[in-house]
Amino acid sequence: MGSLNRASKALRSKYQVLLSGFSTFSPSSAIFEANRTLDGSSSYYFGSQHAYYSNSRQGTSGDIGLDLSQYSPERIRNFSIIAHIDHGKSTLADRLLELTGTIKRGHGQPQYLDKLQVERERGITVKAQTATMFHRHICNGSDITDSQEPPSFLLNLIDTPGHVDFNYEVSRSLAACQGALLVVDAAQGVQAQTVANFYLAFESNLTIIPIINKIDQLTADPDRVKAQLKTMFDLDPTDAILTSAKTGQGLEHVLPAVIERIPCPPGKINSPLRVLLLDSYYDEYKGVICHVAVVDGTLRKGDKIASVATRQVYEVSDVGIMHPELTPTGMLLTGQVGYVVSGMRSTKEARVGDTLCHARSVVDPLPGFKPVRHMVFSGVYPANGSDFEELNHAIERLTCNDASVSVTKETSAALGIGFRCGFLGLLHMDVFHQRLEQEYGAQVISTTPTVPYIFEFSDGSKVHVQNPAALDSDPKKRVTKCWEPSVIATIIFPSEYVGSVITLCSERRGEQLEYSFIDSQRAFMKYRMPLREIVVDFYDELKSMTSGYASFDYEDAEYQVSDLVKLDILLNGQPVDAMATIAHKLKAQRLGREMVDKLKKFIDRQMFEITIQAAIGSKVIARETVPAMRKNVLAKCYGGDITRKKKLLEKQKEGKKRMKLVGSVDIPQEAFHELLKIS
Ligand code: GTP
């Protein structure tokens, strides 16, 4: 036994030496590493992105050679990477994928798991992404001889978004994990979303491994961050791993910590199949692809499965892992995370949080996910009314990949038939619009965003108002009481800005709940604030007043009684339903003035005078006029070729396509967009 332990130690140090050579890791050694990561009887070769396998033990998969049956739950670890925005989650994920040979080093695509165009353009993660890796490791105390290879572990890594608007992605990802790497920037220290994400992981009973990243920076101060982790979360400073995802320093400690500290998935291999549907997306060729976690039992290609929610039956036509692209394996076993294709056609069938089981069995549903609470609602209309069907199709496909958007049809007098969509915040709304445009070529106009209010009327009725235009202005029904949603905001910032931050929060009707210091340089505050006050530009203002050093996060809280009014915008005396909004009585005057001024800038002169008014009920609170003028595009075109004149008129017609005719007034799309930026 003693000699076995000595051998095990020797082997361990051999592998540690191999891993610690990471900073000088070459592409060829990446392939070598990859070859060693699977079972001895397997061999595989990495192309640029895809893996091709050959394996003598095809097992029961009947598909390609990667045999997952050797990975019992004890040899599986499922973990998320969570952090404040930009602390290095996706870069760390890149390094771990390289270290395990899952992708080639120098693959030329930083933040490999940020696959959407919108993510690459904005440099942020908006979708959680899963990747399966294989890694050999000797656990403490296990006996192994010199001739044996250390056992291979199957590791599922989920890279999550950092921005507060995408917290729902994080909470769903955590449901498939037993542990989380909490990444903190060594210079910036604990930030607001570090706190939010820590509590999400803590409340899900996950094992948390603190990673202090970016230690290569000149301003890095890992000791200060360790002290913050202790003060804020009672995390043992000696548990923290110091890394630089940029240079590779310290990364050799990450996967051993994942394997040694995070428990294996708790499911039972011999129990009836229970699969948690984590996410889905639509693929033109395969249809709906579901990301799933197998909680109990085994899922095989050809199985007949049923949704516990709808009892609809499907046949599994493909099943596999993300390695990091879709890699068929023919089966997924207890504790494994992967994908399933089963002929589902829409979000109505692929319900995120649903449990899938074998068609003939009856199982208790898994807890699923807590329902999404939509923070912001806005109308989404086709820029060209005749494109409604295309938009309908695009929204159906996109919501398949973004379960946190709610969609109902609505009609606007100004914009025609469209949709009322609920979002988790303005960034989420913005990203949804961008994806509609980039991924589906849909041109949309969105109406002024609003938070969901509750109004009570003199006849005792209560309505939830997601569309201000729908608020009844029936003179017989007086509004007797209204409520608006509030949030608990967490703000972390350098202590010298305490005065200005308190002033800003008071101006935004905030009520201070907590005020402390996380160390000698940074203050921590909690405020209860109306959601309406933070949703548009609060974070921008907070950042600019603290020279960019403040961080901010919020969680939804209960509704509060408030003094609200409906603010109408009228063009030539006609209310424009798509521009109506609800505001606090004390702020309505200023808001009305700003909206009127903005519209005046964006509405071109037309052949008649246009009056723009903001009104509360019948009382006009702001007014501007756009004088009449005909824009003659041919004015400067003296004589010359008729084709040139035609060209100019065609160009003018093109411009008009992007206008919305409201009553008799043409409103450019930008006017709608600009109104979104007023709080
Ligand atoms: P979100 O997904 O938007 O929340 O960001 P993230 O946490 O995934 O951060 P990401 O990996 O996109 O990195 C943000 C920036 O930090 C990028 O410019 C990275 O190159 C840089 N970065 C990441 N890790 C390190 C590091 O260890 N050292 C240094 N100096 N820069 C790093």
Side-chain angles (χ1 to χ4, degrees):
M1 188 69 166
S3 65
L4 277 182
N5 277 338
R6 268 197 303 281
S8 136
K9 269 189 198 146
L11 240 178
R12 199 175 310 146
S13 60
K14 179 175 132 193
Y15 275 85
Q16 271 159 5
V17 167
L18 231 167
L19 289 172
S20 62
F22 176 78
S23 49
T24 53
F25 207 53
S26 72
S28 56
S29 68
I31 291 172
F32 167 68
E33 190 69 14
N35 276 317
R36 292 192 306 103
T37 54
L38 282 179
D39 181 278
S41 56
S42 312
S43 69
Y44 67 109
Y45 156 77
F46 279 90
S48 58
Q49 281 179 18
H50 301 275
Y52 304 91
Y53 301 92
S54 69
N55 190 326
S56 56
R57 295 196 330 180
Q58 293 225 342
T60 48
S61 75
D63 211 294
I64 66 152
L66 181 54
D67 180 12
L68 293 188
S69 64
Q70 61 176 308
Y71 296 99
S72 59
E74 298 75 50
R75 300 255 299 272
I76 297 173
R77 300 292 183 270
N78 297 322
F79 67 101
S80 278
I81 309 185
I82 53 175
H84 183 76
I85 196 158
D86 274 353
H87 280 198
K89 291 177 295 293
S90 305
T91 311
L92 176 66
D94 277 358
R95 296 295 93 78
L96 297 181
L97 291 172
E98 288 168 3
L99 185 61
T100 52
T102 314
I103 57 175
K104 267 191 186 176
R105 192 161 190 231
H107 46 83
Q109 189 178 306
Q111 286 95 37
Y112 185 89
L113 293 178
D114 287 347
K115 292 176 183 168
L116 301 174
Q117 187 179 346
V118 53
E119 292 179 317
R120 306 218 137 262
E121 281 173 14
R122 293 176 181 241
I124 56 167
T125 306
V126 305
K127 277 299 294 173
Q129 293 290 349
T130 306
T132 302
M133 312 178 290
F134 299 93
H135 185 68
R136 290 198 182 277
H137 175 78
I138 308 164
C139 284
N140 276 336
S142 54
D143 291 337
I144 194 157
T145 65
D146 260 337
S147 59
Q148 284 176 316
E149 288 235 65
S152 171
F153 285 82
L154 185 157
L155 310 175
N156 281 307
L157 168 160
I158 307 184
D159 181 23
T160 61
H163 193 281
V164 55
D165 279 15
F166 304 103
N167 248 359
Y168 190 58
E169 286 285 316
V170 182
S171 62
R172 277 187 299 135
S173 309
L174 296 182
C177 297
Q178 287 71 48
L181 303 182
L182 179 69
V183 178
V184 188
D185 183 317
Q188 287 187 19
V190 169
Q191 297 290 329
Q193 272 113 45
T194 321
V195 180
N197 286 330
F198 168 82
Y199 282 108
L200 274 181
F202 184 73
E203 282 156 17
S204 309
N205 284 325
L206 301 195
T207 300
I208 296 168
I209 302 178
I211 306 276
I212 301 178
N213 189 36
K214 304 199 189 183
I215 54 168
D216 59 292
Q217 296 176 106
L218 286 176
T219 47
D221 188 351
D223 289 336
R224 198 181 112 233
V225 181
K226 280 185 191 173
Q228 290 178 351
L229 290 171
K230 175 75 188 152
T231 318
M232 301 286 294
F233 313 128
D234 200 23
L235 289 173
D236 186 344
T238 58
D239 283 347
I241 300 174
L242 273 51
T243 64
S244 164
K246 189 175 176 182
T247 65
Q249 199 181 340
L251 291 178
E252 68 276 15
H253 303 298
V254 177
L255 292 181
V258 164
I259 293 169
E260 304 252 332
R261 296 192 212 168
I262 295 177
C264 59
K268 295 184 189 74
I269 291 181
N270 296 322
S271 293
L273 176 74
R274 288 201 302 171
V275 176
L276 179 62
L277 205 159
L278 295 170
D279 199 0
S280 64
Y281 69 93
Y282 189 83
D283 179 274
E284 279 304 323
Y285 303 103
K286 289 178 179 253
V288 174
I289 299 183
C290 299
H291 289 177
V292 296
V294 178
V295 176
D296 294 312
T298 303
L299 177 67
R300 287 186 175 82
K301 181 176 171 177
D303 279 358
K304 291 256 187 334
I305 55 167
S307 143
V308 169
T310 64
R311 286 318 301 179
Q312 184 117 3
V313 176
Y314 306 92
E315 184 172 329
V316 177
S317 58
D318 187 12
V319 57
I321 53 174
M322 275 74 80
H323 186 50
E325 308 299 329
L326 299 183
T327 305
T329 57
M331 57 157 42
L332 281 175
L333 291 98
T334 305
Q336 295 173 358
V337 176
Y339 74 91
V340 176
V341 183
S342 62
M344 290 183 181
R345 280 184 298 276
S346 69
T347 27
K348 288 182 197 84
E349 293 180 77
R351 296 177 182 204
V352 164
D354 194 2
T355 305
L356 304 174
C357 61
H358 278 133
R360 292 219 186 114
S361 69
V362 178
V363 298
D364 289 334
L366 294 159
F369 307 118
K370 77 172 188 204
V372 192
R373 184 164 148 194
H374 297 105
M375 299 300 224
V376 185
F377 288 84
S378 136
V380 178
Y381 291 83
N384 188 341
S386 59
D387 294 341
F388 174 77
E389 276 312 319
E390 281 84 349
L391 180 61
N392 189 12
H393 182 76
I395 288 183
E396 173 65 37
R397 295 286 178 256
L398 186 51
T399 48
C400 195
N401 189 219
D402 188 351
S404 49
V405 181
S406 73
V407 182
T408 47
K409 279 195 187 141
E410 73 169 13
T411 311
S412 148
L415 302 174
I417 311 177
F419 302 90
R420 178 122 305 243
C421 297
F423 302 98
L424 301 178
L426 276 200
L427 177 65
H428 182 212
M429 179 176 111
D430 221 24
V431 164
F432 187 80
H433 290 161
Q434 196 176 335
R435 290 187 68 188
L436 272 179
E437 204 166 317
Q438 287 179 339
E439 295 171 32
Y440 299 93
Q443 286 275 330
V444 298
I445 289 184
S446 52
T447 63
T448 315
T450 181
V451 301
Y453 297 101
I454 300 174
F455 278 74
E456 186 186 76
F457 296 94
S458 46
D459 64 356
S461 60
K462 255 188 196 175
V463 284
H464 286 254
V465 180
Q466 294 169 359
N467 179 1
L471 190 59
D472 238 322
S473 50
D474 182 351
K476 284 184 232 137
K477 270 175 40 178
R478 234 175 358 95
V479 173
T480 47
K481 210 170 177 183
C482 14
W483 292 263
E484 65 179 324
S486 68
V487 295
I488 305 293
T490 304
I491 310 169
I492 296 180
F493 55 97
S495 354
E496 67 252 42
Y497 299 108
V498 164
S500 357
V501 172
I502 290 179
T503 310
L504 174 68
C505 293
S506 315
E507 280 169 3
R508 301 293 181 119
R509 301 187 281 136
E511 174 203 346
Q512 195 178 80
L513 302 176
E514 213 177 313
Y515 173 17
S516 60
F517 291 89
I518 61 174
D519 58 26
S520 59
Q521 293 157 32
R522 293 186 84 80
F524 171 93
M525 283 185 186
K526 265 188 189 274
Y527 269 87
R528 180 190 303 281
M529 298 180 99
L531 174 61
R532 171 81 169 85
E533 296 291 338
I534 55 141
V535 94
V536 179
D537 60 349
F538 177 76
Y539 192 29
D540 291 342
E541 226 173 284
L542 181 70
K543 277 237 158 193
S544 74
M545 74 168 35
T546 57
S547 313
Y549 288 118
S551 66
F552 166 70
D553 191 274
Y554 62 83
E555 56 187 299
D556 57 343
E558 66 281 10
Y559 275 73
Q560 286 185 309
V561 175
S562 188
D563 207 355
L564 304 168
V565 289
K566 180 181 170 201
L567 185 63
D568 282 311
I569 296 291
L570 296 90
L571 295 182
N572 284 348
Q574 290 289 317
V576 184
D577 58 357
M579 291 181 181
T581 186
I582 290 168
H584 191 266
K585 218 176 214 167
L586 296 175
K587 302 213 161 177
Q589 177 83 34
R590 180 188 55 78
L591 186 65
R593 167 55 46 205
E594 280 180 24
M595 289 175 85
V596 165
D597 289 348
K598 215 29 89 43
L599 281 172
K600 186 179 180 192
K601 273 192 205 141
F602 281 88
I603 296 181
D604 283 341
R605 288 177 170 201
Q606 289 164 37
M607 291 187 59
F608 44 83
E609 187 180 270
I610 303 163
T611 54
I612 310 169
Q613 294 167 311
I616 299 171
S618 55
K619 188 175 164 210
V620 173
I621 55 165
R623 180 197 157 105
E624 281 294 340
T625 308
V626 181
M629 190 187 83
R630 177 160 192 248
K631 194 167 178 187
N632 183 1
V633 289
L634 303 180
K636 289 182 193 152
C637 194
Y638 307 107
D641 185 1
I642 183 73
T643 53
R644 169 146 173 71
K645 285 184 182 168
K646 270 191 183 160
K647 237 186 208 166
L648 285 170
L649 288 168
E650 275 305 312
K651 215 167 142 197
Q652 189 186 35
K653 218 160 91 191
E654 262 302 300
K656 283 200 167 166
K657 263 195 210 160
R658 279 181 270 117
M659 303 273 198
K660 274 281 149 191
L661 193 67
V662 175
S664 52
V665 182
D666 273 328
I667 309 176
Q669 263 184 54
E670 299 99 287
F672 289 95
H673 288 159
E674 284 304 309
L675 289 186
L676 306 184
K677 297 179 195 158
I678 303 177
S679 66

